[in-house]
Amino acid sequence: MNKYRSHKCDQLTKNDVGKNVSLAGWVNKKRDHGNLLFIDLRDNYGITQCIIDKENANFKQLEKIQLETVVKIEGKVLDRSLDTINKEIKTGEIEVSIKSFAILGSCKELPMPIFSDQEYSEEIRLKYRFLDLRRKKIHENMILRSKVISFIRNEMGQLGFLEFQTPILTSSSPEGARDFLVPSRLNPGKFYALPQAPQQFKQLIMVSGFDKYFQIAPCFRDEDARADRSPGEFYQLDLEMSFVEQEDVFDVVEKLLVKTFERFSKNKLISKKFPRISYTDALLKYGTDKPDLRNPLVIKDITEIFKRDDVTFDIFKKLVKSGSNVRCIVTKNTKDKPRSFFDNIDKWAKDQGASGLAYFTIDKDKDIYAKGPVGKFFSKESLQEIMKETKANVGDSIFLACNKKIELERITSIARNKIAEDLDLIEHNVFAFCWIVDYPMFEKDEQTHKISFSHNPFSMPQGEINKLDFKNPLEILAYQYDIVCNGIELSSGAIRNHIPELMYKLFAVAGYDKKQVDDKFSGMINALSFGAPPHGGIAPGIDRIVMLLANEKNIREVTMFPMNQNAQDLMMNAPSGVEEDQLKELNLSLKLKK
RNA sequence: GGGGGUGUAGCUCAGUUGGUUAGAGCGAUCGCCUGUCACGCGAUAGGUCGAGGGUUCGAGUCCCUUCACUCCCGCCA
């Protein structure tokens, strides 16, 4: 028998009554009755109540023991009387009468309590992460993460994918995020970069003829953090397939995600076949390319209405003439909402830096009319036209925003969320997935007017290759797609461009000449010219998947040892300074600002 | 780089219009308590009110600067 324990803390039941057992774990809680002491012993698996009274020679010592001390307890399993059974825990029908104990790991005074539902500052949680991770919720989150990852590994195997590792020390690439750089000792003055994703490697794996690849891959990007974005590093389920079209990738990923989400969450999936929404449509209907489809509200463009003579809303009419658009959100049956409901939303919009949200409610006496501050500007006929366009009925309200396209998308997107929240329209406990498709290949920087890749420079443009219109690059769409779930971007992927000549042409549009492409992507370009299969893939974010499954709003709640917002590890003290000798060996010298 | 929020005991927080000696719960220490499961009861210790400067007879409270944490914008092919 193991010298520390005969059972785990979730194992003992009525069937074990009378047995002599040994348990090992942490002192979760003590309840000291003076002559009788209860100790809740906790391990990874559960909690067992242990009991000792003053007749036992160990009593005095155990009474003084610090919480979170690691102990081994030997004793006898006792039946609990009916009125003392604890239904909250698995072992609640029994308790262990302590005969002897040994301290395996002592514990200093704790900087934060373990057994508590209280919330603590991130700072203290991250500094003492090993204590924080003992707490129930986050402990369970990490177990969930482990299970999700091994489930996915297994499923990918079943689907015929091979798992390969790719280099962590690789080369820096233009485009995309800031790289983390690693100086090379053997090559003075040169640097490796940590991969932002194994993008080029997975394509090379396809060129190598492996057909289907996957990896739970670490990705490194030196960008600022967000609640759903760890600074520095995160994990992707990176996958790539040969001889596939977009729909083949969708098929595999839908199957995998549906299975995973059904397995690990009680929440329903709104649709097992994920709706496809074009990028352009998404921006129009939701104001964003990551729409939360649990929210039933849809944005509608009604600019045309403001060109009519019987609409006299002059502020909007003027803006429309100078190139602005008007978009609206219809709320069903909000006729009787108090004035404060509408004004609050208007005020909120102003706080968001917009010029506010105009609104009116459609009502009917003899005739249809608009009620509200700007209602008087709309004729009966124009209202009927609006009702037709937006499918609004009498009793519905309409919120209006007018601005240039990009700003309009921004404000209608957040207004759509805000209004839905205020009206409690967002369905909870469901997952609403969708594909966002048909991304443009290029985009134009508003300030510099420079054309750059809007997503991935390796994506295959849509349409016949020799008929592509390079004169109007902004019109070219790509076989580029994102998965969005509940408003969170889970992943993006693409059918890749495996034709070198086409690659040169596309890079030329973004301002790279042949030599630059050869320099920066030598491995890729070279490989593509030796018989590359058509291929494509995607890379769902593991952390965000687990976040959704664990119903957490912050990615640190599903990350074992996260860094803080300033990309520091408070527990390990990273990043840290290094010895002068180390710098010298790397041919580096520091030249700090200030 | 920019904007918002927070910072008071080991932890979580309260602290009124600027007014005497800055409080509570948990934790710690000591004592009482044989059926608790957030056990109960009593006592004790524990404070650079994030830091620095200013206004004032008097600052946890008002002003300025600064630091830390966090949320957001930029950024994230």
Side-chain angles (χ1 to χ4, degrees):
Chain A
M1 197 172 69
N2 173 289
K3 92 184 202 195
Y4 297 115
R5 61 186 179 191
S6 63
H7 293 79
K8 289 159 185 161
C9 288
D10 68 334
Q11 278 185 317
L12 297 169
T13 67
K14 263 190 147 60
N15 299 329
D16 299 297
V17 170
K19 281 184 193 164
N20 286 307
V21 298
S22 53
L23 297 172
W26 288 260
V27 176
N28 192 56
K29 193 77 192 165
K30 285 186 300 180
R31 289 176 295 281
D32 188 355
H33 290 236
N35 294 315
L36 177 72
L37 172 68
F38 297 97
I39 289 179
D40 288 339
L41 194 68
R42 182 194 76 239
D43 65 11
N44 179 62
Y45 308 97
I47 284 180
T48 302
Q49 175 167 283
C50 304
I51 186 168
I52 187 168
D53 70 17
K54 66 170 177 191
E55 304 304 321
N56 189 304
N58 292 309
F59 182 80
K60 277 277 173 239
Q61 221 189 324
L62 264 176
E63 207 181 15
K64 294 277 170 273
I65 206 164
Q66 276 276 353
L67 295 183
E68 293 304 310
T69 303
V70 178
V71 293
K72 172 194 177 184
I73 277 172
E74 289 177 307
K76 195 174 196 171
V77 182
L78 300 181
D79 208 0
R80 287 209 216 177
S81 70
L82 258 180
D83 54 325
T84 60
I85 284 175
N86 181 354
K87 287 180 183 146
E88 303 292 312
I89 55 174
K90 261 175 137 181
T91 59
E93 291 189 322
I94 56 94
E95 61 197 5
V96 171
S97 170
I98 300 169
K99 281 192 184 129
S100 65
F101 83 102
I103 291 177
L104 303 178
S106 62
C107 181
K108 297 196 289 188
E109 188 177 342
L110 294 162
M112 59 184 277
I114 309 300
F115 178 68
S116 165
D117 292 330
Q118 249 168 25
E119 301 215 18
Y120 308 96
S121 72
E122 293 270 344
E123 204 174 351
I124 196 116
R125 290 183 61 194
L126 294 183
K127 184 164 180 196
Y128 297 95
R129 191 58 159 180
F130 48 89
L131 293 180
D132 189 40
L133 285 165
R134 290 182 195 170
R135 297 169 67 222
K136 194 162 190 245
K137 181 69 171 97
I138 190 162
H139 200 83
E140 282 170 358
N141 284 353
M142 297 321 304
I143 292 171
L144 172 69
R145 182 184 175 115
S146 167
K147 286 181 174 165
V148 168
I149 287 176
S150 56
F151 179 83
I152 287 174
R153 267 218 167 83
N154 186 48
E155 285 300 312
M156 293 304 286
Q158 300 281 320
L159 288 164
F161 286 79
L162 300 171
E163 182 174 9
F164 296 114
Q165 284 72 50
T166 50
I168 298 299
L169 294 175
T170 180
S171 63
S172 178
S173 63
E175 300 282 326
R178 242 173 253 117
D179 284 317
F180 280 102
L181 298 177
V182 180
S184 167
R185 175 180 58 86
L186 295 175
N187 303 277
K190 296 195 169 167
F191 293 81
Y192 303 95
L194 305 184
Q196 296 180 22
Q199 181 62 39
Q200 294 190 59
F201 289 111
K202 70 172 170 180
Q203 293 192 239
L204 292 166
I205 289 171
M206 293 300 101
V207 177
S208 310
F210 287 103
D211 203 64
K212 288 179 180 174
Y213 141 92
F214 88 99
Q215 178 182 197
I216 311 287
C219 303
F220 305 90
R221 296 176 192 175
D222 188 4
E223 297 295 349
D224 289 354
R226 289 289 183 278
D228 63 351
R229 204 165 85 200
S230 291
E233 54 189 84
F234 62 98
Y235 283 81
Q236 287 184 340
L237 165 61
D238 192 43
L239 67 95
E240 197 75 7
M241 307 157 77
S242 284
F243 306 110
V244 290
E245 296 178 86
Q246 188 164 288
E247 282 297 322
D248 298 311
V249 178
F250 287 8
D251 193 49
V252 163
V253 174
E254 274 178 17
K255 272 192 188 127
L256 177 80
L257 288 182
V258 167
K259 238 178 165 173
T260 306
F261 276 70
E262 285 186 334
R263 168 72 179 269
F264 291 103
S265 175
K266 290 190 180 103
N267 292 5
K268 281 224 167 66
L269 275 67
I270 282 183
S271 171
K272 289 187 194 179
K273 171 106 176 152
F274 306 164
R276 276 82 165 146
I277 304 170
S278 78
Y279 175 78
T280 315
D281 267 5
L283 285 183
L284 180 62
K285 288 166 76 176
Y286 310 107
T288 170
D289 64 347
K290 33 187 183 203
D292 186 348
L293 296 187
R294 294 173 304 171
N295 178 345
L297 300 176
V298 172
I299 300 157
K300 194 91 188 167
D301 194 300
I302 52 167
T303 309
E304 289 304 312
I305 303 277
F306 289 82
K307 295 177 180 166
R308 295 166 61 115
D309 289 336
D310 60 348
V311 173
T312 53
F313 194 174
D314 286 337
I315 309 171
F316 277 24
K317 284 173 82 90
K318 231 183 226 165
L319 288 166
V320 166
K321 259 186 199 145
S322 64
S324 284
N325 281 49
V326 180
R327 288 184 184 169
C328 70
I329 295 171
V330 176
T331 58
K332 288 284 161 200
N333 202 18
T334 37
K335 175 165 70 90
D336 299 324
K337 285 277 168 193
R339 175 78 186 250
S340 61
F341 163 76
F342 298 97
D343 285 347
N344 277 341
I345 288 171
D346 183 43
K347 183 179 173 293
W348 165 89
K350 284 183 178 126
D351 289 342
Q352 301 304 309
S355 44
L357 282 179
Y359 64 86
F360 60 82
T361 295
I362 301 169
D363 211 337
K364 192 176 179 180
D365 262 338
K366 275 180 216 145
D367 276 327
I368 284 177
Y369 71 101
K371 201 174 66 176
V374 302
K376 58 177 180 281
F377 299 126
F378 297 88
S379 70
K380 186 182 83 178
E381 290 75 19
S382 68
L383 288 172
Q384 277 164 343
E385 184 62 25
I386 290 173
M387 288 168 74
K388 204 175 118 198
E389 277 294 308
T390 62
K391 301 197 176 75
N393 296 314
V394 172
D396 297 349
S397 309
I398 296 181
F399 290 87
L400 302 156
C402 181
N403 214 316
K404 291 273 185 329
K405 216 173 132 196
I406 288 177
E407 175 57 21
L408 187 58
E409 282 162 359
R410 185 187 76 85
I411 192 68
T412 51
S413 167
I414 56 177
R416 181 175 166 267
N417 290 337
K418 165 73 177 168
I419 295 168
E421 269 166 33
D422 283 7
L423 289 170
D424 198 21
L425 296 176
I426 295 170
E427 197 176 348
H428 296 286
N429 306 320
V430 296
F431 292 118
F433 283 93
C434 62
W435 291 101
I436 307 296
V437 298
D438 302 337
Y439 276 83
M441 188 85 210
F442 298 100
E443 64 189 6
K444 197 181 204 170
D445 189 301
E446 288 297 311
Q447 260 116 53
T448 61
H449 297 289
K450 238 191 88 186
I451 288 179
S452 62
F453 291 102
S454 73
H455 250 70
N456 184 324
F458 304 119
S459 297
M460 182 66 101
Q462 294 188 17
E464 268 189 68
I465 288 161
N466 25 19
K467 289 184 186 161
L468 285 174
D469 181 8
F470 288 100
K471 296 260 160 56
N472 294 304
L474 295 176
E475 303 295 314
I476 301 175
L477 297 180
Y479 285 115
Q480 168 80 45
Y481 35 85
D482 275 16
I483 297 178
V484 174
C485 179
N486 294 2
I488 290 176
E489 184 190 318
L490 272 192
S491 58
S492 54
I495 298 299
R496 320 297 173 189
N497 178 357
H498 66 287
I499 303 164
E501 297 77 56
L502 181 55
M503 188 96 73
Y504 287 127
K505 282 186 194 163
L506 293 167
F507 267 102
V509 173
Y512 294 92
D513 63 28
K514 185 164 185 297
K515 188 176 173 307
Q516 284 172 300
V517 179
D518 284 339
D519 279 356
K520 290 294 182 184
F521 304 101
S522 56
M524 269 304 294
I525 290 279
N526 193 32
L528 292 179
S529 29
F530 285 93
H535 60 283
I538 194 164
I542 291 284
D543 314 80
R544 287 185 183 171
I545 288 175
V546 179
M547 214 171 124
L548 283 168
L549 290 170
N551 195 26
E552 293 287 1
K553 289 200 165 51
N554 194 301
I555 205 157
R556 291 185 295 273
E557 300 301 326
V558 295
T559 308
M560 192 73 100
F561 299 113
M563 295 197 284
N564 71 7
Q565 195 164 45
N566 295 323
Q568 299 158 341
D569 181 335
L570 298 176
M571 190 176 59
M572 302 299 281
N573 261 325
S576 60
V578 294
E579 296 297 322
E580 189 58 38
D581 285 353
Q582 292 175 281
L583 290 176
K584 211 171 158 190
E585 198 167 41
L586 292 167
N587 296 287
L588 294 180
S589 67
L590 298 180
K591 202 169 170 184
L592 299 174
K593 282 183 206 162
K594 275 184 206 172

